[in-house]
Amino acid sequence: MKIVIARSGGFCWGVKRAVNMAIEATKEKGIVYSLGELIHNPQEIKRLENLGIKKINSVDEIIPETTVIIRSHGVPPKTIKALKEKNVKIIDATCPFVKAIQDKAVSLEKEHFPVCILGNSKHPEVIGIAGHVRDPFILETKEDVEKIPEMPKLGVVCQTTLNSEFLSLATSILVHKIKEIKIYNTICKATKVRQEEARKLAQEVDLMIIIGGKNSSNTTKLYLISKKVNKNSYHIESADEIKEEWFDNIKSVGITAGASTPQWIIEEVVGRVETISKRGQAVERGFCKTT
Ligand code: SF4
């Protein structure tokens, strides 16, 4: 049996940076509070908790004069203001790519373009971007896009993990409704590469495993992309979710992981697949050649 591992899978640059910043801060401060989960991966969150990185759900829970890390998703300006009022030390781990989208939204507004964000309205990154401008449109589905009224101007930015197919679809609808439209494709390169590789790998293998938190937006999108071209696609958080019967009559397995999945979980999953596939078969482990 052949196991093909996506080269792009696992921590992206921005997540790695945020985790390293938090770990470094614990060395000096002991405990560091993360406003919301530092990353969307329950197993890694548990490991980080043991290192002193504690999750808090809202600014109200913050103990004054402690240290708070802002995760890679970023936050609205009103949250920064509230943190400053609590007199805490702020470590801002907002991914620079997300910061660039916040800045683009602000400059669109300054140019008198109503701002539209393509993405999930409940996702912290989108909430953070939306908080930088007044009453943006947030469009998540084709139906949302179709409901947008005709108007003279619109400025569009995207959630970094948006499915590129949705961006194309939304653009094709909006250009017929808006006289002057500015569209920034702000899908992060890390996302684009992961999605393209997952799509290609899923077409080439008999079974796909996508590893990452069930609450991780980018992992869920990888799973949906894979499922569309390969019905034998499974989204798991850890190795113990893998079932032996998945591998009956399977000759090749593709493995990829979301941007918030640590390497140690990927290794555990690969190890478990290797163990299962060794039932009387030779195992060939390789890396996807698409990147
Ligand atoms: S996916 Fe892209 S934007 Fe998001 S944290 Fe990673 S590098 Fe930054």
Side-chain angles (χ1 to χ4, degrees):
M1 176 151 110
K2 195 171 165 190
I3 301 172
V4 189
I5 304 161
R7 280 190 197 280
S8 61
F11 273 5
C12 64
W13 177 83
V15 167
K16 211 180 280 172
R17 174 176 172 268
V19 169
N20 287 344
M21 283 169 86
I23 292 173
E24 274 309 304
T26 59
K27 288 179 188 161
E28 196 194 327
K29 304 284 174 191
I31 302 267
V32 172
Y33 294 96
S34 164
L35 197 49
E37 284 182 336
L38 187 61
I39 59 171
H40 286 156
N41 187 283
Q43 291 75 16
E44 179 69 355
I45 287 290
K46 227 178 254 172
R47 187 185 78 91
L48 295 174
E49 244 174 45
N50 292 333
L51 295 176
I53 300 157
K54 311 280 179 207
K55 177 193 145 192
I56 42 168
N57 294 312
S58 72
V59 176
D60 298 337
E61 289 176 31
I62 289 172
I63 306 162
E65 291 170 23
T66 52
T67 300
V68 175
I69 185 158
I70 294 175
R71 55 195 174 166
S72 59
H73 304 308
V75 291
K78 67 171 188 204
T79 305
I80 300 283
K81 187 168 171 275
L83 287 174
K84 284 185 176 160
E85 282 165 6
K86 290 265 185 177
N87 204 21
V88 293
K89 179 176 163 42
I90 302 171
I91 299 170
D92 189 356
T94 305
C95 178
F97 300 126
V98 174
K99 182 83 187 57
I101 305 175
Q102 296 170 349
D103 294 344
K104 277 195 171 74
V106 170
S107 67
L108 281 168
E109 191 171 60
K110 278 190 188 144
E111 293 168 44
H112 307 292
F113 281 81
V115 176
C116 167
I117 306 163
L118 299 180
N120 177 349
S121 60
K122 293 190 184 70
H123 192 279
E125 180 191 311
V126 173
I127 294 169
I129 299 165
H132 282 73
V133 289
R134 276 184 309 276
D135 301 325
F137 297 99
I138 302 176
L139 312 180
E140 195 174 338
T141 63
K142 185 176 179 230
E143 290 70 37
D144 293 341
V145 182
E146 283 168 347
K147 276 188 210 145
I148 283 274
E150 293 192 0
M151 60 179 99
K153 284 181 161 199
L154 190 70
V156 181
V157 293
C158 323
Q159 185 177 348
T160 54
T161 53
L162 193 77
N163 184 334
S164 54
E165 284 176 7
F166 181 63
L167 171 62
S168 307
L169 174 74
T171 305
S172 68
I173 298 170
L174 290 172
V175 289
H176 296 292
K177 296 181 168 218
I178 318 292
K179 280 219 168 78
E180 190 182 354
I181 185 164
K182 271 196 185 180
I183 299 169
Y184 289 108
N185 178 352
T186 51
I187 298 174
C188 170
K189 196 177 167 217
T191 303
K192 201 168 162 266
V193 170
R194 272 171 183 70
Q195 291 182 355
E196 280 171 6
E197 195 177 25
R199 192 175 291 116
K200 187 152 194 305
L201 190 52
Q203 283 164 350
E204 290 169 1
V205 296
D206 299 330
L207 182 142
M208 273 295 282
I209 294 179
I210 298 95
I211 319 161
K214 297 275 161 66
N215 57 346
S216 157
S217 163
N218 75 84
T219 310
T220 304
K221 278 182 195 120
L222 289 182
Y223 166 69
L224 294 174
I225 286 168
S226 175
K227 186 89 182 161
K228 208 169 166 183
V229 291
N230 187 330
K231 64 176 175 30
N232 277 335
S233 296
Y234 297 94
H235 178 177
I236 59 166
E237 284 188 351
S238 59
D240 52 19
E241 288 172 60
I242 296 173
K243 295 199 168 62
E244 291 209 18
E245 59 263 31
W246 294 351
F247 299 87
D248 290 343
N249 304 317
I250 295 294
K251 292 199 168 54
S252 56
V253 179
I255 297 177
T256 190
S260 45
T261 308
Q263 193 57 34
W264 63 269
I265 296 183
I266 300 173
E267 285 301 327
E268 278 183 7
V269 169
V270 173
R272 169 102 174 106
V273 174
E274 280 182 340
T275 306
I276 292 171
S277 61
K278 272 178 191 151
R279 296 168 308 176
Q281 302 180 59
V283 177
E284 187 189 332
R285 179 168 166 173
F287 289 96
C288 186
K289 295 188 181 67
T290 53
T291 55

